């Protein structure tokens, strides 16, 4: 599984990739930019919750999710840069 990102649409690319392979919380993915893997990490949200909170402020996410939001889609503590 890989997530392709570019400078202009990293959020949209991430959400599209999560939905395309129905990533779930805790799934390991590769983060790919310019055709090469730049990192690997564990997804903090499943694709449904990621779509719910996309583009929202952190302080509004708990109401949308029904639970306290996590710090990031892929937290730095759960990511390895290559």
């Amino acid at each position: 599984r890989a997530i392709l990102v570019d400078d202009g649409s990293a959020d949209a690319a991430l959400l599209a990739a999560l939905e395309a392979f129905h990533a779930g919380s805790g799934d390991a993915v590769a983060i790919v930019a310019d055709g090469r893997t730049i990192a690997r990490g564990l997804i903090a949200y499943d694709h449904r919750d990621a779509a719910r909170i996309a583009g929202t402020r952190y302080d509004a996410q708990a109401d949308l999710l029904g639970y306290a939001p996590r710090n990031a889609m892929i937290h730095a503590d759960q990511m390895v840069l290559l």
Side-chain angles (χ1 to χ4, degrees), residues 33-82:
D34 296 325
R36 68 181 186 92
T37 301
I38 59 170
R40 296 190 188 279
L42 302 177
I43 298 291
Y45 293 99
D46 66 27
H47 68 281
R48 287 176 218 87
D49 285 348
R52 258 187 225 122
I53 62 171
T56 64
R57 294 177 47 93
Y58 181 82
D59 57 2
Q61 292 175 358
D63 289 336
L64 295 171
L65 295 169
Y67 60 87
R70 294 170 182 93
N71 292 333
M73 187 65 67
I74 301 172
H75 193 276
D77 291 346
Q78 302 295 318
M79 184 183 335
V80 176
L81 298 176
L82 303 174

